Amino acid sequence: MKCRKCGEKASVHMRQHKLALCKEHYLEWVPEQTERFIKKYQMFTPAEKILVAVSGGKDSLGLWDILIRLGYQADGLYLGLGIDGGINYSHESQSLTEKFAAQHDLKLHIVDIEKEYGQPIPVLAEISHRGHGKPCAVCGLTKRHEMNRIARDLGYAVLATGHNLDDEAAVLFGNTLNWSSEYLLRQGPALPLADGLARKVKPLCRFYEREMTAYCVARGIEYIYEECPFAEGSQSIYYKELLNQLETTRPGAKLTFYLRFLEARKSGELFIEKDIERAHLHPCEKCGQPTSAPGMCSFCRTMEKVSSVPAS
Ligand code: Q46
Ligand code: ZN
Ligand code: ZN
């Protein structure tokens, strides 16, 4: 196949777009598309300061690289979760993130959860008895809380994450299977948030995972290949596999699934857009972040529980 732009040999074939491009034109196409999505979903402007949540994986490092190439003011935030899993996961991902920041002369904030809260994520999860033996519930809660906290404390207008289409389609699939209307209402490329919190955006939400891999390889970005060891056997991986099977026989199915959802939601065809969550939110008595729980938010309650248990 030949590159649609220059006629040279193509190196990336995107069946779902009926598009093939050479390496050079692929490296132009990805940021152009990203810019298009940023504008379409009104994510941010060049005047705003962006905080990119970086994990050392291909999506977040790829996102950071694209935003910088597009001329945006984007700093990084790395959360040290303290996960080893026999592969030194957190340590490796942190060094790759630091290396990327140093190579491009970028500002990177690092928050070490153990230093902040006394224990690494797997231990916090164990002590608090949340999440049925897996640290993911406490991990997700902590990541959300810390990203919001840092974005707010350091005055960032926007928090950007590297979620790609495969991630978004899997979440959508799960929420649809359960008809979780509250979650469906909250899912989207750009989420305006309650008072004092940064907007949350996902500029890569229309790129397939393999498109991000191709981008990072073509740009020579070194990223951590392994997933977090606790991701194994998760529901979201199972949904991704199912959607991949569908995609094999129907190229573009994932993209259509996600885009039609966004369209239907926007036009109000699916749900009556009620401001349900907002109506019940109030600031947490301890950290001030919005919560629907009475008194303290679930993060602060979890941490209270943890600090009341003597360390063994
Ligand atoms: S939640 Fe669970 Fe992830 Fe945290 S413990 Fe690892 S797999 S990193 S997206
Ligand atoms: Zn070309
Ligand atoms: Zn709180």
Side-chain angles (χ1 to χ4, degrees):
M1 258 208 215
K2 292 195 169 148
C3 169
R4 185 192 285 177
K5 298 225 166 140
C6 67
E8 293 290 311
K9 192 175 176 300
S11 59
V12 185
H13 306 247
M14 290 166 283
R15 282 210 294 162
Q16 72 283 5
H17 299 307
K18 298 191 180 62
L19 178 66
L21 294 170
C22 68
K23 180 175 160 183
E24 184 194 330
H25 286 116
Y26 185 67
L27 286 176
E28 277 175 14
W29 181 80
V30 172
E32 275 166 19
Q33 291 296 305
T34 312
E35 181 77 318
R36 195 162 74 80
F37 308 148
I38 291 171
K39 294 212 169 105
K40 181 174 169 69
Y41 301 113
Q42 299 173 325
M43 293 186 182
F44 42 76
T45 65
E48 288 177 306
K49 270 177 69 188
I50 306 157
L51 184 64
V52 186
V54 275
S55 67
K58 61 182 182 326
D59 303 300
S60 55
L61 288 181
L63 171 63
W64 204 6
D65 183 74
I66 295 167
L67 294 181
I68 296 301
R69 286 182 66 204
L70 287 169
Y72 287 104
Q73 311 175 51
D75 297 341
L77 167 64
Y78 177 86
L79 298 176
L81 305 170
I83 293 173
D84 181 78
I87 52 167
N88 224 350
Y89 176 75
S90 286
H91 185 263
E92 284 297 311
S93 57
Q94 181 169 340
S95 353
L96 289 167
T97 307
E98 286 175 321
K99 191 171 169 190
F100 180 87
Q103 280 167 346
H104 297 81
D105 202 14
L106 299 171
K107 190 194 255 181
L108 173 66
H109 305 282
I110 297 181
V111 175
D112 188 293
I113 299 298
E114 184 169 357
K115 276 192 204 133
E116 293 286 326
Y117 298 100
Q119 299 288 354
I121 290 289
V123 181
L124 289 176
E126 230 169 80
I127 309 177
S128 63
H129 299 293
R130 280 186 78 125
H132 314 286
K134 269 208 160 205
C136 296
V138 170
C139 182
L141 188 66
T142 308
K143 284 196 283 194
R144 270 195 304 280
H145 187 274
E146 291 300 283
M147 287 187 229
N148 280 330
R149 181 176 71 86
I150 305 292
R152 181 188 63 186
D153 290 358
L154 303 180
Y156 287 92
V158 197
L159 180 68
T161 56
H163 294 96
N164 59 38
L165 178 66
D166 294 53
D167 299 322
E168 291 301 288
V171 170
L172 177 59
F173 189 59
N175 287 341
T176 310
L177 281 182
N178 294 314
W179 289 118
S180 316
S181 53
E182 275 210 37
Y183 286 113
L184 286 167
L185 278 175
R186 264 187 259 165
Q187 197 185 348
L191 289 190
L193 272 188
D195 292 344
L197 285 184
R199 194 149 68 241
K200 278 196 189 133
V201 298
K202 299 168 183 167
L204 306 181
C205 66
R206 290 175 61 162
F207 289 110
Y208 281 72
E209 187 177 328
R210 60 168 185 274
E211 292 171 347
M212 288 319 298
T213 309
Y215 178 81
C216 287
V217 171
R219 283 282 291 161
I221 297 172
E222 275 184 78
Y223 61 89
I224 185 153
Y225 296 123
E226 285 90 7
E227 293 241 20
C228 168
F230 293 110
E232 212 187 292
S234 71
Q235 194 159 269
S236 89
I237 291 194
Y238 176 59
Y239 291 158
K240 282 182 184 175
E241 284 165 6
L242 289 178
L243 290 166
N244 282 342
Q245 284 178 26
L246 185 66
E247 183 79 23
T248 314
T249 45
R250 289 176 48 198
K254 249 185 260 184
L255 189 59
T256 309
F257 178 49
Y258 184 61
L259 292 185
R260 292 268 163 87
F261 159 71
L262 293 183
E263 279 165 23
R265 203 188 59 174
K266 196 169 163 215
S267 66
E269 279 168 30
L270 280 187
F271 312 101
I272 308 162
E273 293 254 5
K274 282 186 290 186
D275 221 352
I276 348 168
E277 334 107 59
R278 290 289 172 74
H280 298 301
L281 292 184
H282 63 88
C284 161
E285 355 180 280
K286 186 150 181 234
C287 71
Q289 292 192 21
T291 174
S292 55
M296 277 190 272
C297 72
S298 29
F299 175 79
C300 291
R301 270 185 293 131
T302 305
M303 290 305 154
E304 288 262 302
K305 210 159 147 192
V306 166
S307 58
S308 64
V309 176
S312 51

